[in-house]
Every structure is written in structure tokens, then in C-alpha cells.
Amino acid sequence: MALPRDPRQKMINIMYLVLTAMLALNVSAEILNAFSIVNNSINTSNKSLADKNNLIYSQFDAQMKDNAEKTAPFRAKAQQVKTLSASMYDYVESLKKTIIDESGGLDEHGEIKDKAGLDAPTRVMENMKKGPELEARLKDLREKLLSFVDPKKRDQFNKTLPLRIEVGKSTDEHGGGTKSWTTYHFNMVPTIAAVTILGKFQNDIKNSESAIIDDLYRQIDANTFKFDKVRPFISLNSKNLMEGQTLTANIAVGAYSTTVNPTIVVNGQSVEAKEGLGTFTAVAAGIGEKTISGTITLPSPTGGAPESYPFTETYNVGASSTSISADKMNVLYIGLQNPISISAAGVPAEQVSASITGGNMTKRGSGEYIVTVSQPGKAVINVVANIDGKTKSLGQKEFRVKRVPDPVLKVGVNKGGSMKAADFKVQGGLRADLEDFEFEGVKYEVVGYRVGISAKGKEYQEGDATSAYFPGSVTASIRALRPGDEVYFENVKVKGPDNVVRSMPSTLFKLN
């Protein structure tokens, strides 16, 4: 007679428990002892790794004393790695303690009482969901550790970092596919095996921590060049100075270190060095070539005798050399924007300034000025410079101030005298052109004149113009001009760029 469904299922469950218990009893003492040996070895390795990592952290501290600016960013990252790793290590340690407590605790010798027990690891890691939590936290730690790696080396560290979270290829006994990470590592394993596995993860944490902080420590000097030769070098603020200017020389050795201050002597004078660099200053005196010489002495890196390196450098001292020139000629013209260029040898253009007496002066660029004047006569340009914080006169120059020259009166392209009647008749008026003048674009305006026409067989005619154009009263007569006729221009008035109206001499055109 068959048993009811529920009692039969209960019987199966009881038999499964009995079988499990029998399997546990069949775990040999030798296997349990082997797990204990491995666990103890892992614990010893973890202590050695902790000591090694602490040594690296102490080296970061030592580097801070010698080169804090370069070391500080890497030390800060290493401290973050230390905190993250220690927190994860302690969490895994707490899981080991929970499993041991759930299995019955430790005996009087400090050994796990029930090393072969299968229930505690399964209950803690699967039923209490500590396994998935551990998996997630280990994955998170791995990503955070990799974030401290140079992106260029990320792929390399991703392949070699000891902390890896992988699921084995074993399948579920019920045919349900690949086992979960928790099931693969902790389901129905002896307590001593679970503790050993957790110890292995602690070892991975320590090894990964070590790999990351080793890389951070190497980066402190990763971009530092290693030199095998040393030579002095000197940098002057200028090799061409004027009397009264200050000579400044920066003196050091090639590949010098900011942590080693050399002994520097220049022209018999000791120079204090700071961060490996010495600065020598002297007032330039006496015109001609001068010499700066001395020695740089460095302590031997091996503790032997100091090594000295001599140096010599020359520079020139000259008298004030100021150049003031008109870009067009040595004359300033009334009514025009006169361009002036000013420079002083050995003095930067931005430290030079200029002023004028008898006019106005505006700076339009480096060493370039515009001068405007209003009265004929003379004007004086004065040049000064800021040298070593003091205002020093560099010189002055006197210029003549003149009006723009008179123009030439023209009809068409003719300046007076003989002109073809046919050419004259097609013109519209009188012009005033400025010829052979250095400034381009300067123009005169004809503001008035009297024109007289003497034509053969006709009465003399006159007309007054109020602009350059021929007045209407004589237009018909101009159109009827023939060879032999004459045209007079008098009382001619013109206005130039200075807005002053000038009187021009009379002119005569004889037509042919």
C-alpha cells in the first residue's frame, strides 16, 4: 500500500538529511587537517603582506619629508586604498567569526570545534544572504582599486589584479545551470573549508592592495629624469646693459635638484642658494665688456669629496642709446598725425614712455606714437624709462614744426602756361594738388577764385567761383574757347588739413 504524498516527501527529506550526515562523517580527518594547514599558511601570508604594505606606507611618509609637493597626491591615494582594503578585510574576518560561532565556536586550544560541519557555512552564506553581499562588496572593491590606476595601464591591471570574482563551471545537481557564486564556494562545504576560502579572499585583498600602492609609489619618480653628468649654467637678465641698470644672473648646475643647495661663489662673493638655485645681482658700471665668473660646489652623492664646477659669462655695458626718429622726416607738420618711433637699447618697450612740449603725443603701440602740433616753430620730445623701479631720463630731441607746403594749381593735369584748348574746355574746374609730399592722402580744397577769359574778337569776361567748379557765368565762354585765347585765375583761396585758408598766386593758361 502506497504512502500518501506528503508523508512520502517527508521520508525523502529525512533520508536526504541522513545521507548528508553520513557524508559529513565520511570527510576524513586527513582532509580536514589539510584545510587547517592551508588556512594557517594563508593567515601567515596575510600577516607578511600586511607588514610589507605598512613598509610601503612608511616610505610614502619618508618621501613627504623630502618632496612633499610631488608625493602628496600619490600618498593621499595610497591612504584611500589602505582604508578601503582594511574595511573589506575586517568585513571578511567578521564572516569567518560568524561561521565559526554558528558551527559551535572554538575549543580550549583555539581550534574550531566542528571543522567538518556542513550546515554553518550554508546557513550563513546562503540562507542569511551573506554570500551575495560578500560577492557584491568584493566586486565594488575591485572597481575602486582599479580607479587608482593610470588609465593607460588599466587593461594590464584588470588582467593581473589578484582580487577576482569568478564562478566555477560546475553545474547545479538538479540540472538548473551554472551554480551561483555563493553556492559554488560555500554550499555544503565543511566549516574549515569555508573559513579557508574566506582567508583566501583576504589574501587576494592584501595582494591587490600591495599591487596598487606599489604602482602609486613608483609614480612619484616616474617622470623624473636620471642624469649622469652635471654642468653649470648661468642665465643673465640681459647681456647688453646701460650704466645704472642692474645685472641679474641665475646660476645653477644642469639637472640640479631642488633638495640639494650648492655652494656658489661669483666674482669672489658668496651667493646663497635656495632650492638648488642661486641668484647673483650687481649694478652695471663702466662701459665695455664685463665678465662674471665663479664656481659651483656640490656635495658628493656618495659621501666623498665635494665636486666643484667653474663657470664664466660675459656681458656688455653701454651708454644710453635712445633712438627718436620721425617716420617721414625730421619735421612735424601742423594739422597732420605725425608718426614717431622711439626705442631704447636694453630697455623693454613697455617700460619706455615719451612726452612732447609744444604739442600732443599719443602712444599707439610698442615704441610707436602719434604727434600732433598746432603752431610753427620747434617741439621737444622727452623719453624716460622705468629701470629697476626708478624713472630714468634716456634723452630728448628737438623737431621743427612747419605747415604743410602749398599746393599746385591745375586745370586737368596742367599747371599753367600752354594748354590745348580742346583739353581745357572739357574740364570742370580748378584743382589744388600737393605734389612730392611724404604723407599720402593729404588734400587741399579750393574754396574760391576769380576767373578771367580773354578771347579773340570778344569782350573780356570775368566770374567769381565759390568752390573748385567754374562759375556758371563763364561756362558758355569756356565751352567756346579757341587756340590763341587766354584764361586767368587770381585771388585763389585754398584750405589745407590745418583748416587754414591760404591765398595762392595768380596763374595764366595760354590755349593752343
Side-chain angles (χ1 to χ4, degrees):
M1 178 176 171
L3 292 171
R5 180 181 180 86
D6 287 344
R8 182 172 58 185
Q9 186 63 47
K10 289 180 180 179
M11 179 66 70
I12 292 173
N13 291 342
I14 292 172
M15 292 177 65
Y16 178 75
L17 293 175
V18 171
L19 177 61
T20 301
M22 292 177 67
L23 289 173
L25 292 174
N26 287 331
V27 177
S28 68
E30 288 79 6
I31 294 176
L32 296 177
N33 187 51
F35 273 115
S36 295
I37 293 172
V38 173
N39 185 54
N40 291 336
S41 177
I42 290 175
N43 289 337
T44 300
S45 175
N46 289 343
K47 291 178 181 178
S48 297
L49 283 170
D51 292 339
K52 183 261 182 186
N53 291 346
N54 287 333
L55 177 61
I56 297 297
Y57 291 124
S58 67
Q59 290 177 342
F60 274 104
D61 295 337
Q63 285 288 340
M64 284 293 293
K65 297 177 182 178
D66 295 332
N67 197 340
E69 183 176 355
K70 182 183 287 189
T71 305
F74 300 105
R75 181 180 181 275
K77 292 181 180 180
Q79 290 298 318
Q80 294 180 55
V81 172
K82 181 179 183 181
T83 300
L84 290 170
S85 301
S87 175
M88 191 66 209
Y89 188 95
D90 292 342
Y91 172 72
V92 177
E93 188 66 26
S94 71
L95 292 180
K96 290 165 66 174
K97 184 177 186 305
T98 300
I99 291 175
I100 292 172
D101 290 342
E102 288 290 324
S103 69
L106 303 175
D107 59 20
E108 65 274 14
H109 302 294
E111 296 289 334
I112 299 173
K113 289 182 179 179
D114 186 11
K115 295 182 179 180
L118 305 176
D119 182 56
T122 304
R123 185 166 61 252
V124 173
M125 302 306 287
E126 287 203 302
N127 299 345
M128 296 170 63
K129 306 300 183 185
K130 293 298 182 181
E133 180 180 320
L134 173 62
E135 180 185 8
R137 291 186 62 164
L138 288 173
K139 288 180 178 179
D140 181 63
L141 175 62
R142 176 183 170 83
E143 289 304 312
K144 287 180 178 178
L145 291 179
L146 288 173
S147 70
F148 294 100
V149 177
D150 186 326
K152 296 179 181 178
K153 299 188 290 185
R154 180 72 181 263
D155 289 342
Q156 173 190 342
F157 271 79
N158 191 43
K159 295 176 182 177
T160 60
L161 199 69
L163 182 59
R164 307 181 70 83
I165 296 80
E166 298 175 336
V167 178
K169 297 181 180 180
S170 299
T171 56
D172 188 281
E173 62 268 21
H174 301 295
T178 303
K179 292 182 179 180
S180 69
W181 185 86
T182 300
T183 299
Y184 179 77
H185 287 92
F186 299 104
N187 182 60
M188 300 303 292
V189 300
T191 298
I192 185 61
V195 170
T196 302
I197 291 171
L198 291 174
K200 180 262 184 189
F201 286 130
Q202 288 178 313
N203 188 261
D204 290 343
I205 293 168
K206 286 294 182 184
N207 269 309
S208 298
E209 175 188 7
S210 178
I212 299 298
I213 63 175
D214 282 349
D215 182 65
L216 289 172
Y217 187 78
R218 283 192 296 269
Q219 290 183 55
I220 295 176
D221 292 318
N223 296 322
T224 300
F225 290 103
K226 308 299 181 183
F227 295 94
D228 58 1
K229 288 186 179 181
V230 179
R231 59 168 296 177
F233 69 84
I234 179 170
S235 174
L236 304 182
N237 62 327
S238 177
K239 297 190 72 172
N240 296 283
L241 302 170
M242 295 184 299
E243 284 192 287
Q245 282 189 273
T246 299
L247 168 70
T248 300
N250 290 326
I251 304 166
V253 290
Y256 72 93
S257 170
T258 58
T259 62
V260 178
N261 287 322
T263 300
I264 302 174
V265 177
V266 182
N267 292 351
Q269 174 185 340
S270 295
V271 176
E272 182 182 1
K274 294 181 179 180
E275 296 186 348
L277 183 67
T279 300
F280 170 77
T281 62
V283 176
I287 297 174
E289 185 177 270
K290 305 296 176 181
T291 300
I292 177 175
S293 61
T295 58
I296 302 175
T297 303
L298 283 172
S300 172
T302 60
E307 299 182 16
S308 295
Y309 305 91
F311 63 86
T312 299
E313 186 72 30
T314 61
Y315 62 95
N316 293 303
V317 178
S320 174
S321 177
T322 304
S323 172
I324 306 174
S325 62
D327 286 353
K328 299 299 182 181
M329 60 184 296
N330 192 27
V331 175
L332 302 176
Y333 287 101
I334 298 171
L336 300 183
Q337 290 189 334
N338 299 271
I340 297 291
S341 296
I342 298 176
S343 62
V347 181
E350 61 271 15
Q351 296 181 10
V352 177
S353 59
S355 61
I356 187 172
T357 59
N360 294 311
M361 197 166 189
T362 304
K363 189 172 186 177
R364 68 175 182 180
S366 179
E368 299 179 352
Y369 298 81
I370 291 294
V371 173
T372 57
V373 289
S374 58
Q375 296 294 328
K378 296 180 180 180
V380 178
I381 294 179
N382 297 284
V383 180
V384 298
N386 186 328
I387 300 175
D388 298 332
K390 299 179 181 179
T391 301
K392 179 181 176 68
S393 175
L394 301 183
Q396 60 179 221
K397 190 163 187 175
E398 187 178 90
F399 286 80
R400 292 173 294 159
V401 179
K402 299 175 64 176
R403 294 191 183 279
V404 176
D406 287 338
V408 176
L409 298 178
K410 296 180 181 180
V411 174
V413 295
N414 292 80
K415 305 177 184 179
S418 297
M419 182 176 179
K420 290 184 179 181
D423 293 338
F424 193 100
K425 290 192 294 182
V426 297
Q427 302 303 319
L430 183 65
R431 293 166 47 199
D433 287 350
L434 191 59
E435 294 184 333
D436 300 325
F437 190 57
E438 290 79 6
F439 287 78
E440 297 177 357
V442 179
K443 296 181 179 181
Y444 274 88
E445 176 187 359
V446 177
V447 297
Y449 56 87
R450 175 172 291 176
V451 58
I453 300 174
S454 177
K456 292 180 180 181
K458 297 181 181 180
E459 293 183 359
Y460 182 78
Q461 287 190 323
E462 287 185 342
D464 290 321
T466 57
S467 68
Y469 294 102
F470 294 141
S473 59
V474 297
T475 301
S477 298
I478 291 176
R479 296 290 181 265
L481 289 171
R482 294 176 300 175
D485 295 342
E486 295 179 344
V487 182
Y488 300 89
F489 292 94
E490 58 185 2
N491 295 329
V492 180
K493 305 292 184 183
V494 297
K495 185 168 64 174
D498 55 2
N499 290 321
V500 175
V501 177
R502 305 185 190 188
S503 296
M504 299 294 294
S506 300
T507 185
L508 169 66
F509 287 84
K510 294 181 178 183
L511 305 182
N512 54 41

